[in-house]
Amino acid sequence: MRRAAVICLVVLTGQVSAGCSAVNGDAPPPVIRVSPAFDTERARPDQALVVRAKGGTLRTVQVYAAGAQVPGVLDKARTTWRSSWTLTPGAEYSVTATAASGDGPTTMAVGRFRTRAAKRTFGLLSTTPLPGETVGVGMPIILDFDTPILDKAAVERALEVRAASPVEGAWRWTSDTQAVYRTRSYWPARQAVTVTAHLAGVRAASGVYGTVNRSFAFTVGREQISTIDTRTHQMVVSRDQRVRQRMAISAGMATTREYTTTSGVHLTMDKGNPVRMISPGRVKGEPGFYDLLIDHAVRISNSGEYVHARDNVWAQGRANVSHGCINARPDQAAWFYTTSLRGDPVTITGTTRALEWNNGWGFWQLPWDEWRLGSALHNPVQAGLEP
C-alpha cells in the first residue's frame, strides 16, 4: 500500500496553483488558474475575476478587497468561479482558493493582484424614486448619470433590481444619460424594492470607469388607480380594487391642441399647494393669457396637465372648459392631493390627443415589446427576490 505524502508546491505565477497539497502518488494535484494573474499591478477592472480548476473541482473560493468579501458564482461543474460584477479600479484583491480531485490531492492557491486606477470616472447624478420613498404601483425607476454612456450594454448589465415579489421588467435608455426601468405590469402592492448599480469597474466609454457602487431602496405602497372619462366628465378613484371616490370633473376645452387633455396612462409625478400656472406662449394682455395660483395640484405630465382644485363647479360633470387640466371640486381635489403617491396611475380616455410615451412619465403608453426595444440588451430582467 502506498503511503500519502504531504508536499508544498511553490509556483511564482498565479496562472498555476501555489500552496500545499496532499499527493497520493498516483493522481497529479489539480491546477488552479486565476485571472487576473497574481502579482498583476494594472489589471483591467471591467473584466471579471475568474478562478478555474483543472483536474479537479473547486472546494472554496474567497476573495476580498478593502476588507469586504467579493461576491461570485460557482458554475454547476464546480470548475469555474466568476465574480458577480466588475472590479473596483485602483484596488488590491486577495484570493484564496482550494481544489480537489475526489478523495485525491487538494491544492490551495493564495495570492494578490491590483487593478489599474481610473483616469476619468462616471456615476449616478440622481435616482427616482428617492431612497426610502413610498410610491404607487406604476412607478418607474429612473437613473440619471453624470456622463454620457457610450457602452450602454455594459452599464445595463451592472444594474440590479430586487423585489419582495418577483416581477418582469426591462430597462430602456431614453437618452445617453438616462435609463428607465419599467415593469411589464404594475408592481404588486405593498412590497420593498432595492436597486443596486454595480458601477465600480464598469467601462462606460473609452477610459471612463465607474468607481463606486450605489444602492437604494423604496417601498411600493397601496394600489391606487384613477380613471377619467372626459366624455362623461367623471373620475373614479379605486384603492386596492375598491372605489374610494367618485368625482365630477371638467377637462380641456379642446379648442386648440394645447388646450386638449391627453388620453392615455399617466402617472402622478409631483404635487404642490399652490402651484403657479402661467399660459404658455402668451404674454400679459394677449387673449387667453392667465397667471394663477392653483390649489391642491397633482401633476400628471410634462405638458402642463394637473388634477387640481377649481371652483368652476357649474362645469364639473357637465362640460370641458379647462386649459387641459382636470378640474375637480375643491374638497375632492384636496382629498386626491392628500392620498396621492408619486407613481399612481391615472388613465384618461375620450380626447383626440394621445399622451406621448416620453411626455413626463408616460412610459406605460408603450406596449411591452416596444418598451423592450429600448434596452441595450434587448432582454427583460426579472426583479429577483430580496434576500
PDB file of all heavy atoms in Angstrom, residues 345-382:
ATOM      1  N   PRO A 345     -51.169  55.404 -11.118  1.00  0.00           N
ATOM      2  CA  PRO A 345     -51.686  55.516 -12.482  1.00  0.00           C
ATOM      3  C   PRO A 345     -52.977  56.332 -12.547  1.00  0.00           C
ATOM      4  O   PRO A 345     -53.851  56.230 -11.681  1.00  0.00           O
ATOM      5  CB  PRO A 345     -51.956  54.055 -12.874  1.00  0.00           C
ATOM      6  CG  PRO A 345     -51.130  53.233 -11.927  1.00  0.00           C
ATOM      7  CD  PRO A 345     -51.132  54.009 -10.646  1.00  0.00           C
ATOM      8  N   VAL A 346     -53.064  57.162 -13.588  1.00  0.00           N
ATOM      9  CA  VAL A 346     -54.268  57.938 -13.886  1.00  0.00           C
ATOM     10  C   VAL A 346     -54.537  57.764 -15.378  1.00  0.00           C
ATOM     11  O   VAL A 346     -53.824  58.320 -16.213  1.00  0.00           O
ATOM     12  CB  VAL A 346     -54.099  59.431 -13.549  1.00  0.00           C
ATOM     13  CG1 VAL A 346     -55.359  60.206 -13.918  1.00  0.00           C
ATOM     14  CG2 VAL A 346     -53.756  59.622 -12.073  1.00  0.00           C
ATOM     15  N   THR A 347     -55.548  56.977 -15.717  1.00  0.00           N
ATOM     16  CA  THR A 347     -55.865  56.691 -17.116  1.00  0.00           C
ATOM     17  C   THR A 347     -56.988  57.614 -17.584  1.00  0.00           C
ATOM     18  O   THR A 347     -58.064  57.641 -16.990  1.00  0.00           O
ATOM     19  CB  THR A 347     -56.262  55.229 -17.308  1.00  0.00           C
ATOM     20  OG1 THR A 347     -55.171  54.385 -16.917  1.00  0.00           O
ATOM     21  CG2 THR A 347     -56.609  54.946 -18.767  1.00  0.00           C
ATOM     22  N   ILE A 348     -56.714  58.359 -18.667  1.00  0.00           N
ATOM     23  CA  ILE A 348     -57.684  59.307 -19.216  1.00  0.00           C
ATOM     24  C   ILE A 348     -58.120  58.827 -20.596  1.00  0.00           C
ATOM     25  O   ILE A 348     -57.292  58.416 -21.417  1.00  0.00           O
ATOM     26  CB  ILE A 348     -57.073  60.718 -19.318  1.00  0.00           C
ATOM     27  CG1 ILE A 348     -56.639  61.209 -17.932  1.00  0.00           C
ATOM     28  CG2 ILE A 348     -58.053  61.697 -19.955  1.00  0.00           C
ATOM     29  CD1 ILE A 348     -55.932  62.553 -17.944  1.00  0.00           C
ATOM     30  N   THR A 349     -59.415  58.874 -20.860  1.00  0.00           N
ATOM     31  CA  THR A 349     -59.960  58.495 -22.164  1.00  0.00           C
ATOM     32  C   THR A 349     -60.894  59.588 -22.671  1.00  0.00           C
ATOM     33  O   THR A 349     -61.361  60.435 -21.912  1.00  0.00           O
ATOM     34  CB  THR A 349     -60.741  57.171 -22.079  1.00  0.00           C
ATOM     35  OG1 THR A 349     -61.818  57.325 -21.120  1.00  0.00           O
ATOM     36  CG2 THR A 349     -59.856  56.017 -21.652  1.00  0.00           C
ATOM     37  N   GLY A 350     -61.156  59.543 -23.993  1.00  0.00           N
ATOM     38  CA  GLY A 350     -62.201  60.382 -24.561  1.00  0.00           C
ATOM     39  C   GLY A 350     -61.749  61.612 -25.305  1.00  0.00           C
ATOM     40  O   GLY A 350     -62.593  62.383 -25.781  1.00  0.00           O
ATOM     41  N   THR A 351     -60.436  61.848 -25.462  1.00  0.00           N
ATOM     42  CA  THR A 351     -59.980  63.039 -26.183  1.00  0.00           C
ATOM     43  C   THR A 351     -59.294  62.635 -27.484  1.00  0.00           C
ATOM     44  O   THR A 351     -58.995  61.458 -27.716  1.00  0.00           O
ATOM     45  CB  THR A 351     -59.002  63.871 -25.336  1.00  0.00           C
ATOM     46  OG1 THR A 351     -57.719  63.220 -25.305  1.00  0.00           O
ATOM     47  CG2 THR A 351     -59.511  64.036 -23.919  1.00  0.00           C
ATOM     48  N   THR A 352     -59.002  63.625 -28.300  1.00  0.00           N
ATOM     49  CA  THR A 352     -58.383  63.376 -29.608  1.00  0.00           C
ATOM     50  C   THR A 352     -56.861  63.481 -29.566  1.00  0.00           C
ATOM     51  O   THR A 352     -56.198  63.300 -30.578  1.00  0.00           O
ATOM     52  CB  THR A 352     -58.910  64.385 -30.642  1.00  0.00           C
ATOM     53  OG1 THR A 352     -58.621  65.723 -30.182  1.00  0.00           O
ATOM     54  CG2 THR A 352     -60.409  64.223 -30.831  1.00  0.00           C
ATOM     55  N   ARG A 353     -56.321  63.778 -28.414  1.00  0.00           N
ATOM     56  CA  ARG A 353     -54.868  63.928 -28.284  1.00  0.00           C
ATOM     57  C   ARG A 353     -54.314  62.815 -27.404  1.00  0.00           C
ATOM     58  O   ARG A 353     -54.726  62.677 -26.246  1.00  0.00           O
ATOM     59  CB  ARG A 353     -54.519  65.287 -27.685  1.00  0.00           C
ATOM     60  CG  ARG A 353     -53.021  65.523 -27.523  1.00  0.00           C
ATOM     61  CD  ARG A 353     -52.743  66.860 -26.856  1.00  0.00           C
ATOM     62  NE  ARG A 353     -51.312  67.012 -26.591  1.00  0.00           N
ATOM     63  CZ  ARG A 353     -50.767  68.017 -25.902  1.00  0.00           C
ATOM     64  NH1 ARG A 353     -51.554  68.965 -25.393  1.00  0.00           N
ATOM     65  NH2 ARG A 353     -49.466  68.075 -25.704  1.00  0.00           N
ATOM     66  N   ALA A 354     -53.385  62.026 -27.958  1.00  0.00           N
ATOM     67  CA  ALA A 354     -52.796  60.915 -27.201  1.00  0.00           C
ATOM     68  C   ALA A 354     -51.582  61.398 -26.406  1.00  0.00           C
ATOM     69  O   ALA A 354     -50.796  62.242 -26.874  1.00  0.00           O
ATOM     70  CB  ALA A 354     -52.387  59.790 -28.141  1.00  0.00           C
ATOM     71  N   LEU A 355     -51.426  60.851 -25.225  1.00  0.00           N
ATOM     72  CA  LEU A 355     -50.241  61.129 -24.418  1.00  0.00           C
ATOM     73  C   LEU A 355     -49.030  60.469 -25.070  1.00  0.00           C
ATOM     74  O   LEU A 355     -49.037  59.270 -25.360  1.00  0.00           O
ATOM     75  CB  LEU A 355     -50.430  60.583 -23.000  1.00  0.00           C
ATOM     76  CG  LEU A 355     -49.223  60.688 -22.061  1.00  0.00           C
ATOM     77  CD1 LEU A 355     -48.940  62.146 -21.703  1.00  0.00           C
ATOM     78  CD2 LEU A 355     -49.444  59.846 -20.800  1.00  0.00           C
ATOM     79  N   GLU A 356     -47.976  61.249 -25.296  1.00  0.00           N
ATOM     80  CA  GLU A 356     -46.740  60.685 -25.836  1.00  0.00           C
ATOM     81  C   GLU A 356     -46.017  59.894 -24.735  1.00  0.00           C
ATOM     82  O   GLU A 356     -46.044  60.278 -23.577  1.00  0.00           O
ATOM     83  CB  GLU A 356     -45.826  61.795 -26.356  1.00  0.00           C
ATOM     84  CG  GLU A 356     -46.446  62.679 -27.431  1.00  0.00           C
ATOM     85  CD  GLU A 356     -47.230  63.847 -26.869  1.00  0.00           C
ATOM     86  OE1 GLU A 356     -47.390  63.902 -25.621  1.00  0.00           O
ATOM     87  OE2 GLU A 356     -47.683  64.706 -27.666  1.00  0.00           O
ATOM     88  N   TRP A 357     -45.334  58.814 -25.121  1.00  0.00           N
ATOM     89  CA  TRP A 357     -44.699  57.949 -24.119  1.00  0.00           C
ATOM     90  C   TRP A 357     -43.615  58.682 -23.346  1.00  0.00           C
ATOM     91  O   TRP A 357     -43.318  58.342 -22.200  1.00  0.00           O
ATOM     92  CB  TRP A 357     -44.129  56.687 -24.771  1.00  0.00           C
ATOM     93  CG  TRP A 357     -42.861  56.921 -25.551  1.00  0.00           C
ATOM     94  CD1 TRP A 357     -42.745  57.197 -26.877  1.00  0.00           C
ATOM     95  CD2 TRP A 357     -41.519  56.898 -25.034  1.00  0.00           C
ATOM     96  NE1 TRP A 357     -41.434  57.362 -27.225  1.00  0.00           N
ATOM     97  CE2 TRP A 357     -40.654  57.180 -26.112  1.00  0.00           C
ATOM     98  CE3 TRP A 357     -40.964  56.675 -23.767  1.00  0.00           C
ATOM     99  CZ2 TRP A 357     -39.258  57.240 -25.975  1.00  0.00           C
ATOM    100  CZ3 TRP A 357     -39.576  56.740 -23.623  1.00  0.00           C
ATOM    101  CH2 TRP A 357     -38.746  57.015 -24.727  1.00  0.00           C
ATOM    102  N   ASN A 358     -43.020  59.707 -23.971  1.00  0.00           N
ATOM    103  CA  ASN A 358     -41.942  60.443 -23.307  1.00  0.00           C
ATOM    104  C   ASN A 358     -42.402  61.810 -22.805  1.00  0.00           C
ATOM    105  O   ASN A 358     -41.590  62.689 -22.540  1.00  0.00           O
ATOM    106  CB  ASN A 358     -40.753  60.601 -24.248  1.00  0.00           C
ATOM    107  CG  ASN A 358     -41.125  61.279 -25.563  1.00  0.00           C
ATOM    108  OD1 ASN A 358     -42.290  61.542 -25.823  1.00  0.00           O
ATOM    109  ND2 ASN A 358     -40.130  61.539 -26.399  1.00  0.00           N
ATOM    110  N   ASN A 359     -43.699  61.974 -22.663  1.00  0.00           N
ATOM    111  CA  ASN A 359     -44.256  63.174 -22.046  1.00  0.00           C
ATOM    112  C   ASN A 359     -44.407  62.896 -20.558  1.00  0.00           C
ATOM    113  O   ASN A 359     -45.321  62.186 -20.133  1.00  0.00           O
ATOM    114  CB  ASN A 359     -45.606  63.530 -22.676  1.00  0.00           C
ATOM    115  CG  ASN A 359     -46.217  64.798 -22.085  1.00  0.00           C
ATOM    116  OD1 ASN A 359     -45.729  65.356 -21.108  1.00  0.00           O
ATOM    117  ND2 ASN A 359     -47.304  65.244 -22.685  1.00  0.00           N
ATOM    118  N   GLY A 360     -43.492  63.438 -19.771  1.00  0.00           N
ATOM    119  CA  GLY A 360     -43.485  63.109 -18.343  1.00  0.00           C
ATOM    120  C   GLY A 360     -43.131  61.657 -18.148  1.00  0.00           C
ATOM    121  O   GLY A 360     -42.155  61.158 -18.708  1.00  0.00           O
ATOM    122  N   TRP A 361     -43.960  60.958 -17.384  1.00  0.00           N
ATOM    123  CA  TRP A 361     -43.749  59.526 -17.152  1.00  0.00           C
ATOM    124  C   TRP A 361     -44.803  58.719 -17.897  1.00  0.00           C
ATOM    125  O   TRP A 361     -45.439  57.832 -17.341  1.00  0.00           O
ATOM    126  CB  TRP A 361     -43.802  59.211 -15.661  1.00  0.00           C
ATOM    127  CG  TRP A 361     -42.696  59.848 -14.871  1.00  0.00           C
ATOM    128  CD1 TRP A 361     -41.564  60.427 -15.338  1.00  0.00           C
ATOM    129  CD2 TRP A 361     -42.632  59.958 -13.434  1.00  0.00           C
ATOM    130  NE1 TRP A 361     -40.789  60.905 -14.311  1.00  0.00           N
ATOM    131  CE2 TRP A 361     -41.427  60.628 -13.129  1.00  0.00           C
ATOM    132  CE3 TRP A 361     -43.474  59.574 -12.399  1.00  0.00           C
ATOM    133  CZ2 TRP A 361     -41.035  60.910 -11.821  1.00  0.00           C
ATOM    134  CZ3 TRP A 361     -43.089  59.854 -11.098  1.00  0.00           C
ATOM    135  CH2 TRP A 361     -41.873  60.514 -10.812  1.00  0.00           C
ATOM    136  N   GLY A 362     -44.981  59.019 -19.174  1.00  0.00           N
ATOM    137  CA  GLY A 362     -45.966  58.305 -19.981  1.00  0.00           C
ATOM    138  C   GLY A 362     -45.478  56.967 -20.478  1.00  0.00           C
ATOM    139  O   GLY A 362     -45.915  56.482 -21.534  1.00  0.00           O
ATOM    140  N   PHE A 363     -44.581  56.335 -19.732  1.00  0.00           N
ATOM    141  CA  PHE A 363     -43.916  55.116 -20.186  1.00  0.00           C
ATOM    142  C   PHE A 363     -44.882  53.962 -20.434  1.00  0.00           C
ATOM    143  O   PHE A 363     -44.612  53.072 -21.240  1.00  0.00           O
ATOM    144  CB  PHE A 363     -42.842  54.692 -19.176  1.00  0.00           C
ATOM    145  CG  PHE A 363     -41.867  55.796 -18.838  1.00  0.00           C
ATOM    146  CD1 PHE A 363     -41.597  56.129 -17.518  1.00  0.00           C
ATOM    147  CD2 PHE A 363     -41.234  56.506 -19.836  1.00  0.00           C
ATOM    148  CE1 PHE A 363     -40.708  57.142 -17.200  1.00  0.00           C
ATOM    149  CE2 PHE A 363     -40.334  57.524 -19.532  1.00  0.00           C
ATOM    150  CZ  PHE A 363     -40.072  57.838 -18.207  1.00  0.00           C
ATOM    151  N   TRP A 364     -46.011  53.959 -19.729  1.00  0.00           N
ATOM    152  CA  TRP A 364     -46.984  52.881 -19.901  1.00  0.00           C
ATOM    153  C   TRP A 364     -47.715  52.988 -21.234  1.00  0.00           C
ATOM    154  O   TRP A 364     -48.475  52.082 -21.600  1.00  0.00           O
ATOM    155  CB  TRP A 364     -47.979  52.870 -18.739  1.00  0.00           C
ATOM    156  CG  TRP A 364     -47.333  52.462 -17.457  1.00  0.00           C
ATOM    157  CD1 TRP A 364     -46.868  53.270 -16.469  1.00  0.00           C
ATOM    158  CD2 TRP A 364     -47.043  51.121 -17.036  1.00  0.00           C
ATOM    159  NE1 TRP A 364     -46.304  52.529 -15.454  1.00  0.00           N
ATOM    160  CE2 TRP A 364     -46.401  51.203 -15.774  1.00  0.00           C
ATOM    161  CE3 TRP A 364     -47.272  49.868 -17.597  1.00  0.00           C
ATOM    162  CZ2 TRP A 364     -45.983  50.079 -15.075  1.00  0.00           C
ATOM    163  CZ3 TRP A 364     -46.860  48.743 -16.892  1.00  0.00           C
ATOM    164  CH2 TRP A 364     -46.219  48.848 -15.660  1.00  0.00           C
ATOM    165  N   GLN A 365     -47.480  54.033 -21.975  1.00  0.00           N
ATOM    166  CA  GLN A 365     -48.083  54.170 -23.291  1.00  0.00           C
ATOM    167  C   GLN A 365     -47.458  53.213 -24.310  1.00  0.00           C
ATOM    168  O   GLN A 365     -48.077  52.884 -25.324  1.00  0.00           O
ATOM    169  CB  GLN A 365     -47.930  55.603 -23.801  1.00  0.00           C
ATOM    170  CG  GLN A 365     -48.822  56.610 -23.091  1.00  0.00           C
ATOM    171  CD  GLN A 365     -50.297  56.367 -23.366  1.00  0.00           C
ATOM    172  OE1 GLN A 365     -50.985  55.675 -22.615  1.00  0.00           O
ATOM    173  NE2 GLN A 365     -50.782  56.897 -24.476  1.00  0.00           N
ATOM    174  N   LEU A 366     -46.241  52.775 -24.056  1.00  0.00           N
ATOM    175  CA  LEU A 366     -45.583  51.853 -24.977  1.00  0.00           C
ATOM    176  C   LEU A 366     -45.969  50.414 -24.665  1.00  0.00           C
ATOM    177  O   LEU A 366     -45.893  49.987 -23.504  1.00  0.00           O
ATOM    178  CB  LEU A 366     -44.062  51.993 -24.891  1.00  0.00           C
ATOM    179  CG  LEU A 366     -43.435  53.242 -25.507  1.00  0.00           C
ATOM    180  CD1 LEU A 366     -41.920  53.170 -25.400  1.00  0.00           C
ATOM    181  CD2 LEU A 366     -43.860  53.423 -26.946  1.00  0.00           C
ATOM    182  N   PRO A 367     -46.354  49.618 -25.670  1.00  0.00           N
ATOM    183  CA  PRO A 367     -46.557  48.178 -25.446  1.00  0.00           C
ATOM    184  C   PRO A 367     -45.258  47.553 -24.955  1.00  0.00           C
ATOM    185  O   PRO A 367     -44.157  48.049 -25.249  1.00  0.00           O
ATOM    186  CB  PRO A 367     -46.953  47.655 -26.833  1.00  0.00           C
ATOM    187  CG  PRO A 367     -47.413  48.853 -27.594  1.00  0.00           C
ATOM    188  CD  PRO A 367     -46.624  50.017 -27.053  1.00  0.00           C
ATOM    189  N   TRP A 368     -45.381  46.451 -24.236  1.00  0.00           N
ATOM    190  CA  TRP A 368     -44.218  45.833 -23.600  1.00  0.00           C
ATOM    191  C   TRP A 368     -43.113  45.498 -24.601  1.00  0.00           C
ATOM    192  O   TRP A 368     -41.937  45.802 -24.373  1.00  0.00           O
ATOM    193  CB  TRP A 368     -44.655  44.579 -22.846  1.00  0.00           C
ATOM    194  CG  TRP A 368     -43.519  43.812 -22.233  1.00  0.00           C
ATOM    195  CD1 TRP A 368     -43.131  42.537 -22.512  1.00  0.00           C
ATOM    196  CD2 TRP A 368     -42.607  44.270 -21.223  1.00  0.00           C
ATOM    197  NE1 TRP A 368     -42.045  42.176 -21.753  1.00  0.00           N
ATOM    198  CE2 TRP A 368     -41.709  43.226 -20.945  1.00  0.00           C
ATOM    199  CE3 TRP A 368     -42.485  45.473 -20.525  1.00  0.00           C
ATOM    200  CZ2 TRP A 368     -40.696  43.334 -20.015  1.00  0.00           C
ATOM    201  CZ3 TRP A 368     -41.463  45.589 -19.588  1.00  0.00           C
ATOM    202  CH2 TRP A 368     -40.594  44.524 -19.341  1.00  0.00           C
ATOM    203  N   ASP A 369     -43.461  44.885 -25.735  1.00  0.00           N
ATOM    204  CA  ASP A 369     -42.435  44.511 -26.704  1.00  0.00           C
ATOM    205  C   ASP A 369     -41.722  45.730 -27.269  1.00  0.00           C
ATOM    206  O   ASP A 369     -40.521  45.678 -27.568  1.00  0.00           O
ATOM    207  CB  ASP A 369     -43.049  43.689 -27.842  1.00  0.00           C
ATOM    208  CG  ASP A 369     -43.434  42.280 -27.400  1.00  0.00           C
ATOM    209  OD1 ASP A 369     -42.920  41.843 -26.349  1.00  0.00           O
ATOM    210  OD2 ASP A 369     -44.235  41.638 -28.079  1.00  0.00           O
ATOM    211  N   GLU A 370     -42.446  46.812 -27.419  1.00  0.00           N
ATOM    212  CA  GLU A 370     -41.823  48.043 -27.921  1.00  0.00           C
ATOM    213  C   GLU A 370     -40.945  48.668 -26.843  1.00  0.00           C
ATOM    214  O   GLU A 370     -39.879  49.214 -27.134  1.00  0.00           O
ATOM    215  CB  GLU A 370     -42.893  49.017 -28.386  1.00  0.00           C
ATOM    216  CG  GLU A 370     -42.338  50.224 -29.122  1.00  0.00           C
ATOM    217  CD  GLU A 370     -43.418  51.106 -29.713  1.00  0.00           C
ATOM    218  OE1 GLU A 370     -44.590  50.651 -29.778  1.00  0.00           O
ATOM    219  OE2 GLU A 370     -43.099  52.237 -30.099  1.00  0.00           O
ATOM    220  N   TRP A 371     -41.394  48.605 -25.600  1.00  0.00           N
ATOM    221  CA  TRP A 371     -40.578  49.128 -24.492  1.00  0.00           C
ATOM    222  C   TRP A 371     -39.231  48.415 -24.440  1.00  0.00           C
ATOM    223  O   TRP A 371     -38.182  49.050 -24.293  1.00  0.00           O
ATOM    224  CB  TRP A 371     -41.312  48.960 -23.166  1.00  0.00           C
ATOM    225  CG  TRP A 371     -40.483  49.378 -21.987  1.00  0.00           C
ATOM    226  CD1 TRP A 371     -39.715  48.587 -21.173  1.00  0.00           C
ATOM    227  CD2 TRP A 371     -40.302  50.722 -21.514  1.00  0.00           C
ATOM    228  NE1 TRP A 371     -39.078  49.342 -20.225  1.00  0.00           N
ATOM    229  CE2 TRP A 371     -39.423  50.660 -20.405  1.00  0.00           C
ATOM    230  CE3 TRP A 371     -40.797  51.958 -21.918  1.00  0.00           C
ATOM    231  CZ2 TRP A 371     -39.026  51.789 -19.700  1.00  0.00           C
ATOM    232  CZ3 TRP A 371     -40.401  53.102 -21.211  1.00  0.00           C
ATOM    233  CH2 TRP A 371     -39.526  52.997 -20.116  1.00  0.00           C
ATOM    234  N   ARG A 372     -39.243  47.111 -24.615  1.00  0.00           N
ATOM    235  CA  ARG A 372     -38.015  46.325 -24.527  1.00  0.00           C
ATOM    236  C   ARG A 372     -36.998  46.699 -25.596  1.00  0.00           C
ATOM    237  O   ARG A 372     -35.792  46.506 -25.408  1.00  0.00           O
ATOM    238  CB  ARG A 372     -38.344  44.841 -24.644  1.00  0.00           C
ATOM    239  CG  ARG A 372     -39.032  44.258 -23.423  1.00  0.00           C
ATOM    240  CD  ARG A 372     -39.427  42.811 -23.686  1.00  0.00           C
ATOM    241  NE  ARG A 372     -38.316  42.027 -24.164  1.00  0.00           N
ATOM    242  CZ  ARG A 372     -38.409  40.814 -24.717  1.00  0.00           C
ATOM    243  NH1 ARG A 372     -39.603  40.274 -24.845  1.00  0.00           N
ATOM    244  NH2 ARG A 372     -37.352  40.158 -25.107  1.00  0.00           N
ATOM    245  N   LEU A 373     -37.452  47.208 -26.726  1.00  0.00           N
ATOM    246  CA  LEU A 373     -36.534  47.556 -27.801  1.00  0.00           C
ATOM    247  C   LEU A 373     -35.581  48.678 -27.409  1.00  0.00           C
ATOM    248  O   LEU A 373     -34.536  48.864 -28.042  1.00  0.00           O
ATOM    249  CB  LEU A 373     -37.314  47.958 -29.061  1.00  0.00           C
ATOM    250  CG  LEU A 373     -38.122  46.850 -29.732  1.00  0.00           C
ATOM    251  CD1 LEU A 373     -38.887  47.396 -30.929  1.00  0.00           C
ATOM    252  CD2 LEU A 373     -37.219  45.696 -30.155  1.00  0.00           C
ATOM    253  N   GLY A 374     -35.920  49.422 -26.362  1.00  0.00           N
ATOM    254  CA  GLY A 374     -35.042  50.490 -25.900  1.00  0.00           C
ATOM    255  C   GLY A 374     -33.939  50.023 -24.981  1.00  0.00           C
ATOM    256  O   GLY A 374     -33.104  50.819 -24.552  1.00  0.00           O
ATOM    257  N   SER A 375     -33.911  48.726 -24.687  1.00  0.00           N
ATOM    258  CA  SER A 375     -32.849  48.158 -23.857  1.00  0.00           C
ATOM    259  C   SER A 375     -31.610  47.904 -24.706  1.00  0.00           C
ATOM    260  O   SER A 375     -31.713  47.483 -25.861  1.00  0.00           O
ATOM    261  CB  SER A 375     -33.320  46.850 -23.224  1.00  0.00           C
ATOM    262  OG  SER A 375     -32.232  46.104 -22.713  1.00  0.00           O
ATOM    263  N   ALA A 376     -30.444  48.147 -24.132  1.00  0.00           N
ATOM    264  CA  ALA A 376     -29.193  47.832 -24.836  1.00  0.00           C
ATOM    265  C   ALA A 376     -28.970  46.338 -24.913  1.00  0.00           C
ATOM    266  O   ALA A 376     -28.174  45.860 -25.728  1.00  0.00           O
ATOM    267  CB  ALA A 376     -28.018  48.508 -24.133  1.00  0.00           C
ATOM    268  N   LEU A 377     -29.683  45.566 -24.084  1.00  0.00           N
ATOM    269  CA  LEU A 377     -29.527  44.108 -24.058  1.00  0.00           C
ATOM    270  C   LEU A 377     -30.692  43.399 -24.724  1.00  0.00           C
ATOM    271  O   LEU A 377     -30.621  42.199 -24.973  1.00  0.00           O
ATOM    272  CB  LEU A 377     -29.404  43.632 -22.604  1.00  0.00           C
ATOM    273  CG  LEU A 377     -28.277  44.266 -21.789  1.00  0.00           C
ATOM    274  CD1 LEU A 377     -28.324  43.769 -20.349  1.00  0.00           C
ATOM    275  CD2 LEU A 377     -26.923  43.961 -22.410  1.00  0.00           C
ATOM    276  N   HIS A 378     -31.788  44.124 -24.988  1.00  0.00           N
ATOM    277  CA  HIS A 378     -32.997  43.547 -25.592  1.00  0.00           C
ATOM    278  C   HIS A 378     -33.446  42.299 -24.848  1.00  0.00           C
ATOM    279  O   HIS A 378     -33.781  41.284 -25.427  1.00  0.00           O
ATOM    280  CB  HIS A 378     -32.767  43.214 -27.062  1.00  0.00           C
ATOM    281  CG  HIS A 378     -32.334  44.405 -27.867  1.00  0.00           C
ATOM    282  ND1 HIS A 378     -33.149  45.481 -28.080  1.00  0.00           N
ATOM    283  CD2 HIS A 378     -31.168  44.691 -28.483  1.00  0.00           C
ATOM    284  CE1 HIS A 378     -32.510  46.382 -28.816  1.00  0.00           C
ATOM    285  NE2 HIS A 378     -31.302  45.936 -29.055  1.00  0.00           N
ATOM    286  N   ASN A 379     -33.400  42.400 -23.544  1.00  0.00           N
ATOM    287  CA  ASN A 379     -33.706  41.222 -22.731  1.00  0.00           C
ATOM    288  C   ASN A 379     -34.394  41.653 -21.450  1.00  0.00           C
ATOM    289  O   ASN A 379     -33.834  42.414 -20.683  1.00  0.00           O
ATOM    290  CB  ASN A 379     -32.410  40.467 -22.391  1.00  0.00           C
ATOM    291  CG  ASN A 379     -32.683  39.173 -21.675  1.00  0.00           C
ATOM    292  OD1 ASN A 379     -33.685  38.526 -21.939  1.00  0.00           O
ATOM    293  ND2 ASN A 379     -31.797  38.792 -20.781  1.00  0.00           N
ATOM    294  N   PRO A 380     -35.633  41.170 -21.202  1.00  0.00           N
ATOM    295  CA  PRO A 380     -36.293  41.557 -19.955  1.00  0.00           C
ATOM    296  C   PRO A 380     -35.573  40.977 -18.748  1.00  0.00           C
ATOM    297  O   PRO A 380     -34.951  39.918 -18.824  1.00  0.00           O
ATOM    298  CB  PRO A 380     -37.709  40.957 -20.096  1.00  0.00           C
ATOM    299  CG  PRO A 380     -37.525  39.827 -21.048  1.00  0.00           C
ATOM    300  CD  PRO A 380     -36.438  40.249 -21.999  1.00  0.00           C
ATOM    301  N   VAL A 381     -35.638  41.668 -17.655  1.00  0.00           N
ATOM    302  CA  VAL A 381     -34.956  41.264 -16.434  1.00  0.00           C
ATOM    303  C   VAL A 381     -35.999  41.026 -15.356  1.00  0.00           C
ATOM    304  O   VAL A 381     -36.844  41.874 -15.112  1.00  0.00           O
ATOM    305  CB  VAL A 381     -33.964  42.346 -15.971  1.00  0.00           C
ATOM    306  CG1 VAL A 381     -33.291  41.918 -14.677  1.00  0.00           C
ATOM    307  CG2 VAL A 381     -32.931  42.607 -17.053  1.00  0.00           C
ATOM    308  N   GLN A 382     -35.944  39.873 -14.730  1.00  0.00           N
ATOM    309  CA  GLN A 382     -36.854  39.621 -13.611  1.00  0.00           C
ATOM    310  C   GLN A 382     -36.244  40.166 -12.341  1.00  0.00           C
ATOM    311  O   GLN A 382     -35.103  39.876 -12.009  1.00  0.00           O
ATOM    312  CB  GLN A 382     -37.124  38.133 -13.449  1.00  0.00           C
ATOM    313  CG  GLN A 382     -38.044  37.817 -12.270  1.00  0.00           C
ATOM    314  CD  GLN A 382     -38.602  36.433 -12.309  1.00  0.00           C
ATOM    315  OE1 GLN A 382     -39.279  36.046 -13.234  1.00  0.00           O
ATOM    316  NE2 GLN A 382     -38.298  35.650 -11.283  1.00  0.00           N
TER     317      GLN A 382
END
